[in-house]
Amino acid sequence: MSLLNGITVLDFSQFLAGPSCALRLADLGARVIKIERPNVGDSSRHLVLKKQKIGENSLLFHTINRNKESIALNLKDPADKEITLELIKNADVLIENNRPGVMKKLGLDYDTVKQLNPKLIYGTVTGYGIADSLKTKPGQDLLAQSLSGLTFLNGNADQPPTPFALSIADSFAGIHLAEGILSCLIRRNKTAIGGQVEVSLLESAISLQFEVLTSYFNDGQKLPERSKINNAHAYLAAPYGIYKTKNGYLSIAMGSLEILGKLIALPQLAKYEKEDLAFTLRDEIKQQIADIIVTKTTEAWMELLLSGGYWAAPVYDWQELIKQEGFKALSFDLQLKTPAGPIHTTGCPIQVNGKREKDDKPAPLLDQDHAKILNDLGVKKND
């Protein structure tokens, strides 16, 4: 896409939150330059999941850093520091997710660099914000999920707190940072003034819970109880949940118990429509539904429920997902070509005017674009 054509982003971040924000800006047309440590680079180059590597770098690194450029600079070296400052003078956006205080020690904190470039949008991701008690704790996704209360919501009532099996705090911190940066860019176009955008993993994980936390705040701060059977939402009544079928699983959303009872031949469900019985007796109700849902296939139940206009869906694993016409129609995945081999990954989820432009540029090798970046930005390296 070319929405951000002409915008230059300096990505000082590593791992997931900051780089995922920079990735989305790149997808929208910005030029994103990774500022990396010589010989080491972004730490996620070496964070290998399930022994998956592409050349010298982890597959994870390629997933988050496609469509970017790389330059290696030692920020403690005077010559490289001078190059860094020149790059900042010419940039529109800077993104960093270092430990609190690191950028200040390097002389690259917002209050310092805005003197060089008052129009700069400076994006910062921390683990937990400004609280002194949390400042020194590792800013890691599972820890942020745990501290935020997010894991408390998941699983059935007799199960321990269950984390999301993906880096949800990191990912949403990246999304929130991109939202803030884009908002500041709009303001800058009107006022020629830059600004600093700050997000944290903890705040993003808490923000995701706005619906349930608001219920908690306005319910005398009484903790919700998870359903013992097929828990899917601590504040929603039966039948809301995922049910085992004869050959798989089926999700059933909210709806009239009386109508559901007619569709699945369980007429006694009608008696639970009164007052709040669907919530207070949800485990009893869900057990009755579960006992009958398991007797037929997912496909059979889907036909019955959809014929009655009831909200339901089959539960897919990834093998089933990618076979679906709906997935294929999205044209959402990418095939990247690298010197070390091909990579199959996901693309940008945003469409503009009905189109999703695909940029199949792979992640850069460490320092791959050093000479090009200095030449394009008119920066000369001192010998």
PDB file of all heavy atoms in Angstrom, residues 214-247:
ATOM      1  N   THR A 214     -15.364  -3.376  33.133  1.00  0.00           N
ATOM      2  CA  THR A 214     -16.453  -2.426  33.396  1.00  0.00           C
ATOM      3  C   THR A 214     -17.577  -3.107  34.155  1.00  0.00           C
ATOM      4  O   THR A 214     -18.169  -2.533  35.080  1.00  0.00           O
ATOM      5  CB  THR A 214     -16.978  -1.844  32.068  1.00  0.00           C
ATOM      6  OG1 THR A 214     -15.912  -1.172  31.394  1.00  0.00           O
ATOM      7  CG2 THR A 214     -18.100  -0.836  32.323  1.00  0.00           C
ATOM      8  N   SER A 215     -17.869  -4.358  33.783  1.00  0.00           N
ATOM      9  CA  SER A 215     -18.883  -5.118  34.533  1.00  0.00           C
ATOM     10  C   SER A 215     -18.455  -5.295  35.991  1.00  0.00           C
ATOM     11  O   SER A 215     -19.260  -5.143  36.911  1.00  0.00           O
ATOM     12  CB  SER A 215     -19.096  -6.492  33.877  1.00  0.00           C
ATOM     13  OG  SER A 215     -19.609  -6.347  32.571  1.00  0.00           O
ATOM     14  N   TYR A 216     -17.180  -5.608  36.181  1.00  0.00           N
ATOM     15  CA  TYR A 216     -16.652  -5.801  37.534  1.00  0.00           C
ATOM     16  C   TYR A 216     -16.719  -4.513  38.359  1.00  0.00           C
ATOM     17  O   TYR A 216     -17.179  -4.511  39.504  1.00  0.00           O
ATOM     18  CB  TYR A 216     -15.210  -6.293  37.435  1.00  0.00           C
ATOM     19  CG  TYR A 216     -14.441  -6.264  38.732  1.00  0.00           C
ATOM     20  CD1 TYR A 216     -14.708  -7.164  39.752  1.00  0.00           C
ATOM     21  CD2 TYR A 216     -13.415  -5.327  38.932  1.00  0.00           C
ATOM     22  CE1 TYR A 216     -13.985  -7.135  40.940  1.00  0.00           C
ATOM     23  CE2 TYR A 216     -12.698  -5.300  40.109  1.00  0.00           C
ATOM     24  CZ  TYR A 216     -12.980  -6.196  41.116  1.00  0.00           C
ATOM     25  OH  TYR A 216     -12.277  -6.162  42.290  1.00  0.00           O
ATOM     26  N   PHE A 217     -16.283  -3.391  37.764  1.00  0.00           N
ATOM     27  CA  PHE A 217     -16.286  -2.117  38.480  1.00  0.00           C
ATOM     28  C   PHE A 217     -17.696  -1.714  38.923  1.00  0.00           C
ATOM     29  O   PHE A 217     -17.873  -1.071  39.956  1.00  0.00           O
ATOM     30  CB  PHE A 217     -15.726  -1.003  37.590  1.00  0.00           C
ATOM     31  CG  PHE A 217     -14.238  -1.104  37.339  1.00  0.00           C
ATOM     32  CD1 PHE A 217     -13.700  -0.673  36.132  1.00  0.00           C
ATOM     33  CD2 PHE A 217     -13.381  -1.625  38.284  1.00  0.00           C
ATOM     34  CE1 PHE A 217     -12.327  -0.755  35.894  1.00  0.00           C
ATOM     35  CE2 PHE A 217     -12.019  -1.721  38.063  1.00  0.00           C
ATOM     36  CZ  PHE A 217     -11.494  -1.284  36.861  1.00  0.00           C
ATOM     37  N   ASN A 218     -18.685  -2.081  38.101  1.00  0.00           N
ATOM     38  CA  ASN A 218     -20.059  -1.642  38.369  1.00  0.00           C
ATOM     39  C   ASN A 218     -20.926  -2.734  38.988  1.00  0.00           C
ATOM     40  O   ASN A 218     -22.141  -2.613  39.020  1.00  0.00           O
ATOM     41  CB  ASN A 218     -20.685  -1.142  37.061  1.00  0.00           C
ATOM     42  CG  ASN A 218     -20.037   0.148  36.577  1.00  0.00           C
ATOM     43  OD1 ASN A 218     -20.382   1.237  37.027  1.00  0.00           O
ATOM     44  ND2 ASN A 218     -19.077   0.021  35.679  1.00  0.00           N
ATOM     45  N   ASP A 219     -20.291  -3.771  39.477  1.00  0.00           N
ATOM     46  CA  ASP A 219     -21.011  -4.868  40.135  1.00  0.00           C
ATOM     47  C   ASP A 219     -20.492  -5.068  41.555  1.00  0.00           C
ATOM     48  O   ASP A 219     -20.374  -6.193  42.038  1.00  0.00           O
ATOM     49  CB  ASP A 219     -20.846  -6.156  39.302  1.00  0.00           C
ATOM     50  CG  ASP A 219     -21.710  -7.305  39.816  1.00  0.00           C
ATOM     51  OD1 ASP A 219     -22.816  -7.033  40.314  1.00  0.00           O
ATOM     52  OD2 ASP A 219     -21.259  -8.456  39.733  1.00  0.00           O
ATOM     53  N   GLY A 220     -20.152  -3.962  42.210  1.00  0.00           N
ATOM     54  CA  GLY A 220     -19.653  -4.042  43.574  1.00  0.00           C
ATOM     55  C   GLY A 220     -18.300  -4.705  43.684  1.00  0.00           C
ATOM     56  O   GLY A 220     -17.913  -5.174  44.746  1.00  0.00           O
ATOM     57  N   GLN A 221     -17.574  -4.752  42.573  1.00  0.00           N
ATOM     58  CA  GLN A 221     -16.246  -5.369  42.514  1.00  0.00           C
ATOM     59  C   GLN A 221     -16.265  -6.810  43.049  1.00  0.00           C
ATOM     60  O   GLN A 221     -15.378  -7.253  43.778  1.00  0.00           O
ATOM     61  CB  GLN A 221     -15.216  -4.503  43.243  1.00  0.00           C
ATOM     62  CG  GLN A 221     -15.054  -3.133  42.596  1.00  0.00           C
ATOM     63  CD  GLN A 221     -13.843  -2.371  43.082  1.00  0.00           C
ATOM     64  OE1 GLN A 221     -12.998  -2.901  43.790  1.00  0.00           O
ATOM     65  NE2 GLN A 221     -13.738  -1.108  42.694  1.00  0.00           N
ATOM     66  N   LYS A 222     -17.288  -7.529  42.608  1.00  0.00           N
ATOM     67  CA  LYS A 222     -17.367  -8.957  42.916  1.00  0.00           C
ATOM     68  C   LYS A 222     -16.760  -9.720  41.745  1.00  0.00           C
ATOM     69  O   LYS A 222     -17.134  -9.506  40.595  1.00  0.00           O
ATOM     70  CB  LYS A 222     -18.819  -9.392  43.124  1.00  0.00           C
ATOM     71  CG  LYS A 222     -19.474  -8.804  44.359  1.00  0.00           C
ATOM     72  CD  LYS A 222     -20.897  -9.318  44.526  1.00  0.00           C
ATOM     73  CE  LYS A 222     -21.798  -8.819  43.420  1.00  0.00           C
ATOM     74  NZ  LYS A 222     -23.217  -9.190  43.625  1.00  0.00           N
ATOM     75  N   LEU A 223     -15.824 -10.611  42.041  1.00  0.00           N
ATOM     76  CA  LEU A 223     -15.189 -11.373  40.973  1.00  0.00           C
ATOM     77  C   LEU A 223     -16.201 -12.290  40.296  1.00  0.00           C
ATOM     78  O   LEU A 223     -17.011 -12.934  40.978  1.00  0.00           O
ATOM     79  CB  LEU A 223     -14.036 -12.212  41.528  1.00  0.00           C
ATOM     80  CG  LEU A 223     -12.775 -11.447  41.934  1.00  0.00           C
ATOM     81  CD1 LEU A 223     -11.787 -12.400  42.595  1.00  0.00           C
ATOM     82  CD2 LEU A 223     -12.126 -10.776  40.714  1.00  0.00           C
ATOM     83  N   PRO A 224     -16.165 -12.372  38.977  1.00  0.00           N
ATOM     84  CA  PRO A 224     -17.058 -13.298  38.284  1.00  0.00           C
ATOM     85  C   PRO A 224     -16.606 -14.734  38.499  1.00  0.00           C
ATOM     86  O   PRO A 224     -15.436 -14.993  38.801  1.00  0.00           O
ATOM     87  CB  PRO A 224     -16.895 -12.895  36.813  1.00  0.00           C
ATOM     88  CG  PRO A 224     -15.491 -12.378  36.739  1.00  0.00           C
ATOM     89  CD  PRO A 224     -15.265 -11.660  38.046  1.00  0.00           C
ATOM     90  N   GLU A 225     -17.533 -15.645  38.363  1.00  0.00           N
ATOM     91  CA  GLU A 225     -17.203 -17.070  38.463  1.00  0.00           C
ATOM     92  C   GLU A 225     -17.246 -17.679  37.069  1.00  0.00           C
ATOM     93  O   GLU A 225     -18.248 -17.545  36.359  1.00  0.00           O
ATOM     94  CB  GLU A 225     -18.187 -17.783  39.381  1.00  0.00           C
ATOM     95  CG  GLU A 225     -18.088 -17.345  40.830  1.00  0.00           C
ATOM     96  CD  GLU A 225     -19.031 -18.127  41.732  1.00  0.00           C
ATOM     97  OE1 GLU A 225     -19.609 -19.131  41.244  1.00  0.00           O
ATOM     98  OE2 GLU A 225     -19.181 -17.743  42.898  1.00  0.00           O
ATOM     99  N   ARG A 226     -16.174 -18.360  36.705  1.00  0.00           N
ATOM    100  CA  ARG A 226     -16.162 -19.035  35.412  1.00  0.00           C
ATOM    101  C   ARG A 226     -17.120 -20.224  35.430  1.00  0.00           C
ATOM    102  O   ARG A 226     -17.286 -20.883  36.464  1.00  0.00           O
ATOM    103  CB  ARG A 226     -14.745 -19.522  35.084  1.00  0.00           C
ATOM    104  CG  ARG A 226     -13.742 -18.407  34.847  1.00  0.00           C
ATOM    105  CD  ARG A 226     -12.346 -18.955  34.628  1.00  0.00           C
ATOM    106  NE  ARG A 226     -11.780 -19.492  35.867  1.00  0.00           N
ATOM    107  CZ  ARG A 226     -10.640 -20.168  35.925  1.00  0.00           C
ATOM    108  NH1 ARG A 226      -9.958 -20.419  34.815  1.00  0.00           N
ATOM    109  NH2 ARG A 226     -10.183 -20.623  37.073  1.00  0.00           N
ATOM    110  N   SER A 227     -17.718 -20.481  34.316  1.00  0.00           N
ATOM    111  CA  SER A 227     -18.586 -21.641  34.209  1.00  0.00           C
ATOM    112  C   SER A 227     -17.770 -22.915  34.373  1.00  0.00           C
ATOM    113  O   SER A 227     -16.624 -22.988  33.922  1.00  0.00           O
ATOM    114  CB  SER A 227     -19.273 -21.638  32.845  1.00  0.00           C
ATOM    115  OG  SER A 227     -20.088 -22.756  32.690  1.00  0.00           O
ATOM    116  N   LYS A 228     -18.364 -23.924  35.024  1.00  0.00           N
ATOM    117  CA  LYS A 228     -17.665 -25.198  35.195  1.00  0.00           C
ATOM    118  C   LYS A 228     -17.644 -26.004  33.902  1.00  0.00           C
ATOM    119  O   LYS A 228     -16.790 -26.858  33.691  1.00  0.00           O
ATOM    120  CB  LYS A 228     -18.348 -26.029  36.289  1.00  0.00           C
ATOM    121  CG  LYS A 228     -18.224 -25.445  37.690  1.00  0.00           C
ATOM    122  CD  LYS A 228     -18.944 -26.325  38.706  1.00  0.00           C
ATOM    123  CE  LYS A 228     -18.853 -25.723  40.099  1.00  0.00           C
ATOM    124  NZ  LYS A 228     -19.594 -26.547  41.098  1.00  0.00           N
ATOM    125  N   ILE A 229     -18.595 -25.712  33.030  1.00  0.00           N
ATOM    126  CA  ILE A 229     -18.751 -26.474  31.789  1.00  0.00           C
ATOM    127  C   ILE A 229     -18.648 -25.523  30.597  1.00  0.00           C
ATOM    128  O   ILE A 229     -19.387 -24.536  30.505  1.00  0.00           O
ATOM    129  CB  ILE A 229     -20.106 -27.209  31.761  1.00  0.00           C
ATOM    130  CG1 ILE A 229     -20.186 -28.189  32.935  1.00  0.00           C
ATOM    131  CG2 ILE A 229     -20.315 -27.939  30.433  1.00  0.00           C
ATOM    132  CD1 ILE A 229     -21.551 -28.798  33.110  1.00  0.00           C
ATOM    133  N   ASN A 230     -17.716 -25.807  29.699  1.00  0.00           N
ATOM    134  CA  ASN A 230     -17.606 -25.053  28.446  1.00  0.00           C
ATOM    135  C   ASN A 230     -17.543 -23.545  28.663  1.00  0.00           C
ATOM    136  O   ASN A 230     -18.232 -22.776  27.997  1.00  0.00           O
ATOM    137  CB  ASN A 230     -18.771 -25.398  27.513  1.00  0.00           C
ATOM    138  CG  ASN A 230     -18.809 -26.869  27.155  1.00  0.00           C
ATOM    139  OD1 ASN A 230     -17.889 -27.619  27.468  1.00  0.00           O
ATOM    140  ND2 ASN A 230     -19.863 -27.306  26.495  1.00  0.00           N
ATOM    141  N   ASN A 231     -16.709 -23.108  29.597  1.00  0.00           N
ATOM    142  CA  ASN A 231     -16.593 -21.677  29.857  1.00  0.00           C
ATOM    143  C   ASN A 231     -16.054 -20.956  28.621  1.00  0.00           C
ATOM    144  O   ASN A 231     -15.067 -21.365  28.025  1.00  0.00           O
ATOM    145  CB  ASN A 231     -15.639 -21.438  31.029  1.00  0.00           C
ATOM    146  CG  ASN A 231     -15.431 -19.962  31.301  1.00  0.00           C
ATOM    147  OD1 ASN A 231     -16.373 -19.260  31.663  1.00  0.00           O
ATOM    148  ND2 ASN A 231     -14.212 -19.474  31.098  1.00  0.00           N
ATOM    149  N   ALA A 232     -16.722 -19.867  28.247  1.00  0.00           N
ATOM    150  CA  ALA A 232     -16.243 -19.051  27.131  1.00  0.00           C
ATOM    151  C   ALA A 232     -16.299 -17.567  27.463  1.00  0.00           C
ATOM    152  O   ALA A 232     -15.660 -16.764  26.788  1.00  0.00           O
ATOM    153  CB  ALA A 232     -17.057 -19.331  25.869  1.00  0.00           C
ATOM    154  N   HIS A 233     -17.085 -17.201  28.481  1.00  0.00           N
ATOM    155  CA  HIS A 233     -17.200 -15.793  28.884  1.00  0.00           C
ATOM    156  C   HIS A 233     -17.792 -15.772  30.288  1.00  0.00           C
ATOM    157  O   HIS A 233     -18.890 -16.287  30.518  1.00  0.00           O
ATOM    158  CB  HIS A 233     -18.097 -15.035  27.906  1.00  0.00           C
ATOM    159  CG  HIS A 233     -18.024 -13.543  28.037  1.00  0.00           C
ATOM    160  ND1 HIS A 233     -18.421 -12.869  29.177  1.00  0.00           N
ATOM    161  CD2 HIS A 233     -17.609 -12.596  27.164  1.00  0.00           C
ATOM    162  CE1 HIS A 233     -18.255 -11.565  28.997  1.00  0.00           C
ATOM    163  NE2 HIS A 233     -17.756 -11.373  27.781  1.00  0.00           N
ATOM    164  N   ALA A 234     -17.042 -15.178  31.201  1.00  0.00           N
ATOM    165  CA  ALA A 234     -17.449 -15.244  32.616  1.00  0.00           C
ATOM    166  C   ALA A 234     -18.764 -14.540  32.908  1.00  0.00           C
ATOM    167  O   ALA A 234     -19.420 -14.831  33.908  1.00  0.00           O
ATOM    168  CB  ALA A 234     -16.345 -14.651  33.495  1.00  0.00           C
ATOM    169  N   TYR A 235     -19.166 -13.592  32.045  1.00  0.00           N
ATOM    170  CA  TYR A 235     -20.372 -12.819  32.315  1.00  0.00           C
ATOM    171  C   TYR A 235     -21.545 -13.173  31.405  1.00  0.00           C
ATOM    172  O   TYR A 235     -22.580 -12.516  31.464  1.00  0.00           O
ATOM    173  CB  TYR A 235     -20.076 -11.322  32.179  1.00  0.00           C
ATOM    174  CG  TYR A 235     -19.325 -10.734  33.351  1.00  0.00           C
ATOM    175  CD1 TYR A 235     -17.969 -10.460  33.270  1.00  0.00           C
ATOM    176  CD2 TYR A 235     -19.982 -10.437  34.550  1.00  0.00           C
ATOM    177  CE1 TYR A 235     -17.270  -9.906  34.342  1.00  0.00           C
ATOM    178  CE2 TYR A 235     -19.295  -9.894  35.630  1.00  0.00           C
ATOM    179  CZ  TYR A 235     -17.948  -9.622  35.517  1.00  0.00           C
ATOM    180  OH  TYR A 235     -17.268  -9.078  36.585  1.00  0.00           O
ATOM    181  N   LEU A 236     -21.385 -14.181  30.541  1.00  0.00           N
ATOM    182  CA  LEU A 236     -22.477 -14.530  29.637  1.00  0.00           C
ATOM    183  C   LEU A 236     -23.157 -15.829  30.054  1.00  0.00           C
ATOM    184  O   LEU A 236     -22.526 -16.761  30.546  1.00  0.00           O
ATOM    185  CB  LEU A 236     -21.958 -14.652  28.201  1.00  0.00           C
ATOM    186  CG  LEU A 236     -21.614 -13.321  27.521  1.00  0.00           C
ATOM    187  CD1 LEU A 236     -21.140 -13.560  26.099  1.00  0.00           C
ATOM    188  CD2 LEU A 236     -22.819 -12.375  27.515  1.00  0.00           C
ATOM    189  N   ALA A 237     -24.453 -15.878  29.818  1.00  0.00           N
ATOM    190  CA  ALA A 237     -25.286 -17.003  30.226  1.00  0.00           C
ATOM    191  C   ALA A 237     -25.193 -18.157  29.234  1.00  0.00           C
ATOM    192  O   ALA A 237     -24.624 -18.032  28.146  1.00  0.00           O
ATOM    193  CB  ALA A 237     -26.736 -16.533  30.347  1.00  0.00           C
ATOM    194  N   ALA A 238     -25.776 -19.290  29.613  1.00  0.00           N
ATOM    195  CA  ALA A 238     -25.908 -20.424  28.695  1.00  0.00           C
ATOM    196  C   ALA A 238     -26.782 -19.986  27.511  1.00  0.00           C
ATOM    197  O   ALA A 238     -27.676 -19.145  27.676  1.00  0.00           O
ATOM    198  CB  ALA A 238     -26.555 -21.598  29.420  1.00  0.00           C
ATOM    199  N   PRO A 239     -26.494 -20.475  26.313  1.00  0.00           N
ATOM    200  CA  PRO A 239     -25.658 -21.639  25.998  1.00  0.00           C
ATOM    201  C   PRO A 239     -24.212 -21.298  25.607  1.00  0.00           C
ATOM    202  O   PRO A 239     -23.494 -22.172  25.145  1.00  0.00           O
ATOM    203  CB  PRO A 239     -26.394 -22.220  24.786  1.00  0.00           C
ATOM    204  CG  PRO A 239     -26.891 -21.006  24.053  1.00  0.00           C
ATOM    205  CD  PRO A 239     -27.297 -20.051  25.145  1.00  0.00           C
ATOM    206  N   TYR A 240     -23.783 -20.077  25.793  1.00  0.00           N
ATOM    207  CA  TYR A 240     -22.507 -19.560  25.262  1.00  0.00           C
ATOM    208  C   TYR A 240     -21.335 -20.480  25.621  1.00  0.00           C
ATOM    209  O   TYR A 240     -20.984 -20.650  26.784  1.00  0.00           O
ATOM    210  CB  TYR A 240     -22.262 -18.174  25.848  1.00  0.00           C
ATOM    211  CG  TYR A 240     -21.323 -17.298  25.041  1.00  0.00           C
ATOM    212  CD1 TYR A 240     -21.800 -16.558  23.980  1.00  0.00           C
ATOM    213  CD2 TYR A 240     -19.981 -17.215  25.368  1.00  0.00           C
ATOM    214  CE1 TYR A 240     -20.953 -15.730  23.254  1.00  0.00           C
ATOM    215  CE2 TYR A 240     -19.133 -16.404  24.645  1.00  0.00           C
ATOM    216  CZ  TYR A 240     -19.619 -15.662  23.592  1.00  0.00           C
ATOM    217  OH  TYR A 240     -18.779 -14.843  22.873  1.00  0.00           O
ATOM    218  N   GLY A 241     -20.719 -21.092  24.586  1.00  0.00           N
ATOM    219  CA  GLY A 241     -19.597 -21.978  24.845  1.00  0.00           C
ATOM    220  C   GLY A 241     -19.275 -22.853  23.645  1.00  0.00           C
ATOM    221  O   GLY A 241     -19.890 -22.741  22.581  1.00  0.00           O
ATOM    222  N   ILE A 242     -18.300 -23.722  23.834  1.00  0.00           N
ATOM    223  CA  ILE A 242     -17.878 -24.664  22.794  1.00  0.00           C
ATOM    224  C   ILE A 242     -18.224 -26.074  23.248  1.00  0.00           C
ATOM    225  O   ILE A 242     -17.879 -26.487  24.366  1.00  0.00           O
ATOM    226  CB  ILE A 242     -16.371 -24.533  22.510  1.00  0.00           C
ATOM    227  CG1 ILE A 242     -16.089 -23.181  21.847  1.00  0.00           C
ATOM    228  CG2 ILE A 242     -15.877 -25.675  21.618  1.00  0.00           C
ATOM    229  CD1 ILE A 242     -14.625 -22.914  21.568  1.00  0.00           C
ATOM    230  N   TYR A 243     -18.900 -26.822  22.360  1.00  0.00           N
ATOM    231  CA  TYR A 243     -19.440 -28.140  22.707  1.00  0.00           C
ATOM    232  C   TYR A 243     -18.830 -29.230  21.827  1.00  0.00           C
ATOM    233  O   TYR A 243     -18.659 -29.045  20.613  1.00  0.00           O
ATOM    234  CB  TYR A 243     -20.971 -28.141  22.535  1.00  0.00           C
ATOM    235  CG  TYR A 243     -21.668 -27.203  23.487  1.00  0.00           C
ATOM    236  CD1 TYR A 243     -21.754 -25.837  23.216  1.00  0.00           C
ATOM    237  CD2 TYR A 243     -22.230 -27.675  24.666  1.00  0.00           C
ATOM    238  CE1 TYR A 243     -22.391 -24.966  24.089  1.00  0.00           C
ATOM    239  CE2 TYR A 243     -22.866 -26.811  25.558  1.00  0.00           C
ATOM    240  CZ  TYR A 243     -22.939 -25.458  25.264  1.00  0.00           C
ATOM    241  OH  TYR A 243     -23.566 -24.604  26.142  1.00  0.00           O
ATOM    242  N   LYS A 244     -18.538 -30.357  22.436  1.00  0.00           N
ATOM    243  CA  LYS A 244     -18.015 -31.498  21.696  1.00  0.00           C
ATOM    244  C   LYS A 244     -19.145 -32.153  20.906  1.00  0.00           C
ATOM    245  O   LYS A 244     -20.235 -32.373  21.425  1.00  0.00           O
ATOM    246  CB  LYS A 244     -17.387 -32.511  22.654  1.00  0.00           C
ATOM    247  CG  LYS A 244     -16.749 -33.714  21.954  1.00  0.00           C
ATOM    248  CD  LYS A 244     -15.988 -34.583  22.937  1.00  0.00           C
ATOM    249  CE  LYS A 244     -15.422 -35.818  22.231  1.00  0.00           C
ATOM    250  NZ  LYS A 244     -14.604 -35.484  21.044  1.00  0.00           N
ATOM    251  N   THR A 245     -18.872 -32.468  19.638  1.00  0.00           N
ATOM    252  CA  THR A 245     -19.825 -33.176  18.794  1.00  0.00           C
ATOM    253  C   THR A 245     -19.329 -34.603  18.555  1.00  0.00           C
ATOM    254  O   THR A 245     -18.299 -35.004  19.106  1.00  0.00           O
ATOM    255  CB  THR A 245     -19.992 -32.461  17.437  1.00  0.00           C
ATOM    256  OG1 THR A 245     -18.757 -32.566  16.707  1.00  0.00           O
ATOM    257  CG2 THR A 245     -20.363 -31.007  17.620  1.00  0.00           C
ATOM    258  N   LYS A 246     -20.021 -35.320  17.702  1.00  0.00           N
ATOM    259  CA  LYS A 246     -19.629 -36.698  17.414  1.00  0.00           C
ATOM    260  C   LYS A 246     -18.281 -36.766  16.705  1.00  0.00           C
ATOM    261  O   LYS A 246     -17.548 -37.754  16.840  1.00  0.00           O
ATOM    262  CB  LYS A 246     -20.707 -37.362  16.564  1.00  0.00           C
ATOM    263  CG  LYS A 246     -20.628 -38.877  16.500  1.00  0.00           C
ATOM    264  CD  LYS A 246     -21.865 -39.437  15.809  1.00  0.00           C
ATOM    265  CE  LYS A 246     -21.863 -40.961  15.854  1.00  0.00           C
ATOM    266  NZ  LYS A 246     -23.092 -41.526  15.240  1.00  0.00           N
ATOM    267  N   ASN A 247     -17.939 -35.718  15.949  1.00  0.00           N
ATOM    268  CA  ASN A 247     -16.695 -35.750  15.165  1.00  0.00           C
ATOM    269  C   ASN A 247     -15.836 -34.498  15.304  1.00  0.00           C
ATOM    270  O   ASN A 247     -14.926 -34.280  14.517  1.00  0.00           O
ATOM    271  CB  ASN A 247     -17.017 -35.961  13.684  1.00  0.00           C
ATOM    272  CG  ASN A 247     -17.783 -34.789  13.078  1.00  0.00           C
ATOM    273  OD1 ASN A 247     -18.419 -34.013  13.794  1.00  0.00           O
ATOM    274  ND2 ASN A 247     -17.736 -34.671  11.760  1.00  0.00           N
TER     275      ASN A 247
END
